[in-house]
Amino acid sequence: MEAPSDAADPAPDPVDPTPADPTPADATPADPNSAGLHPADPAPADPALADPTPGPAPAPGPADPEPAAARTARKGPGPFTLLVLPGLLTLSAIAGFLALTGGLPSDWTEGEEPGTSTVNGVNESYLPWLRKAAASCTVVTPSVLAAQIDQLSGWQNDTGGASGEQGIAGFTDAEWRTWGKDDDGNGRSSPRDPADAVMALGRQDCSLAGEVTDLRTEGTVTGDLVDLTLAAYAVGTDAVTEAAGVPAGAKTYLAEVKELLPRYEAFDQETSTGGGTADAILAAPLGTALTVTSPYGSREHPLTGVTKLHTGIDFAAAQGAAVLAARDGQVVFAAMTKAYGNRVVVDHGSIDGKRLETTYSHLSALDVSVGQSVQTGTLLGRAGSTGLSTGPHLHFEVIYDGYYTDPQPWLASDG
């Protein structure tokens, strides 16, 4: 007899508040007048050019070594002195500088001002804004924002499409009225201001991430939260809801952004708080010995016949068996859903700086409500076969940093 099984669906990812972040100081361009540059003073009058006082011709004297015509021709500097000589002197000075310093400064790049540096082709001054924008939620990372901007504009600030997109993030005027702010405090809010544009894109993405997280928690859609967020950006949340996941119309955009992601992975390193997962910190979610009837991983769904990721572990459980909280936390979802049936989601807070959640699905009854604090072993509900299920069992998931992960390593050895 085939072991009871279920639908594979995703879950939530709470949004964190935006931490304060100092605004980088704006550089003030130098005033050319402050360098002592002034219009040239008029040259003193040449006595040779003054009108001579009428009088008798000079008496014959010794031969003049320089004819008068030659003296008149040298009344001022010639073209060579005015045009060529200064250039030669400047080149000589530059050559001397290079000889002494060993060449141009190392941070000079063709097409950039001295002192401007880039990271993977992105102006280094953008990085703090990418990180600040991504800090608004756990789903969106600096690399995701950077890959989106690359796909949208190639980091070119002068782009403009037929529908009026502006700046590196391609906002229209209507979109800017919703998402745009003067984030860098320079007195104006503009999609052509890179700092404002990056922050606005972060706000938009994090809002979409919140929407698709709720949809996934309810069992309305399935899939990776980053994929769902990018799909919602491309075609709208309604289209994602209708498709119950990433719709066909968003797949090209999604593929283009994900192809660019590896280029910007280094941007996430500063905000990473540690590597690896916190293993073996969860208690058994059932009061009986855990018997796996369907492991985490790719499988053919027993009801739909579709091969996809089974996002958790199915544990054998009799109808009405006690389902217990695997760790202290707070209930963030407890309701009936189409695919998961009665479902409970518990938020356990941060582990190594990343959000940890567990889910308990296909319950026959719910014994907790949203907002309730629970401890390890608190009764959450009773095992059952509600939703898309072939028989009584517990579908148990672990969601770490917004991604499904194999629950088995997280469970204590006596679980």
Side-chain angles (χ1 to χ4, degrees):
M1 173 175 144
E2 183 177 353
S5 190
D6 56 42
D9 287 33
D13 194 11
V15 176
D16 296 328
T18 305
D21 190 70
T23 301
D26 292 326
T28 303
D31 182 356
N33 290 329
S34 66
L37 303 178
H38 304 284
D41 294 326
D46 186 348
L49 299 179
D51 291 334
T53 303
D64 191 340
E66 187 173 37
R71 287 200 308 272
T72 303
R74 278 213 315 272
K75 289 183 295 185
F80 178 88
T81 304
L82 288 172
L83 303 176
V84 179
L85 186 57
L88 292 175
L89 292 174
T90 301
L91 290 174
S92 298
I94 292 174
F97 171 80
L98 295 177
L100 290 172
T101 62
L104 289 172
S106 59
D107 59 351
W108 272 24
T109 303
E110 185 177 355
E112 296 179 354
E113 292 296 326
T116 300
S117 58
T118 63
V119 179
N120 293 348
V122 179
N123 188 311
E124 192 173 34
S125 66
Y126 297 170
L127 295 188
W129 295 106
L130 288 165
R131 288 170 177 147
K132 182 177 180 180
S136 299
C137 57
T138 57
V139 174
V140 179
T141 62
S143 61
V144 168
L145 291 174
Q148 277 186 278
I149 292 172
D150 194 348
Q151 192 278 340
L152 289 166
S153 69
W155 296 97
Q156 299 302 307
N157 205 19
D158 57 354
T159 55
S163 54
E165 299 92 346
Q166 303 174 61
I168 59 174
F171 280 100
T172 64
D173 289 340
E175 291 169 339
W176 192 254
R177 284 191 290 272
T178 301
W179 305 110
K181 291 183 181 179
D182 177 19
D183 287 285
D184 58 6
N186 65 357
R188 65 188 182 92
S189 167
S190 170
R192 294 188 181 278
D193 183 326
D196 292 351
V198 168
M199 291 297 293
L201 181 61
R203 276 190 291 274
Q204 183 179 15
D205 278 0
C206 287
S207 176
L208 294 171
E211 293 176 13
V212 298
T213 295
D214 290 344
L215 291 171
R216 198 180 77 168
T217 299
E218 297 163 2
T220 304
V221 303
T222 63
D224 176 81
L225 283 177
V226 173
D227 291 356
L228 293 169
T229 299
L230 291 172
Y233 175 88
V235 297
T237 307
D238 289 346
V240 172
T241 303
E242 184 177 350
V246 176
K251 289 184 177 178
T252 298
Y253 173 76
L254 186 61
E256 290 174 352
V257 172
K258 295 185 81 169
E259 184 178 358
L260 293 167
L261 271 175
R263 183 182 303 178
Y264 302 108
E265 286 177 348
F267 291 2
D268 301 336
Q269 291 176 0
E270 183 177 284
T271 54
S272 176
T273 54
T277 59
D279 293 343
I281 62 171
L282 300 179
L286 289 168
T288 58
L290 298 181
T291 301
V292 176
T293 59
S294 185
Y296 173 90
S298 180
R299 70 164 190 182
E300 181 179 309
H301 193 282
L303 293 178
T304 65
V306 175
T307 298
K308 60 188 298 186
L309 175 67
H310 184 226
T311 54
I313 291 179
D314 291 344
F315 292 118
Q319 181 79 14
V323 174
L324 313 174
R327 185 178 173 88
D328 295 358
Q330 185 177 50
V331 177
V332 294
F333 185 85
M336 171 65 76
T337 69
K338 180 178 179 181
Y340 286 125
N342 283 317
R343 175 175 172 84
V344 174
V345 180
V346 179
D347 179 358
H348 302 290
S350 295
I351 303 295
D352 290 338
K354 299 176 182 179
R355 186 73 61 191
L356 176 66
E357 295 163 305
T358 53
T359 78
Y360 313 76
S361 297
H362 306 296
L363 307 180
S364 59
L366 299 173
D367 285 277
V368 291
S369 56
V370 173
Q372 180 177 335
S373 294
V374 297
Q375 288 73 47
T376 302
T378 295
L379 179 66
L380 300 178
R382 301 285 175 172
S385 186
T386 56
L388 296 179
S389 170
T390 59
H393 71 288
L394 172 65
H395 176 72
F396 177 71
E397 297 169 332
V398 173
I399 303 171
Y400 185 58
D401 196 30
Y403 295 87
Y404 292 110
T405 184
D406 186 353
Q408 197 70 60
W410 292 83
L411 291 166
S413 57
D414 59 349

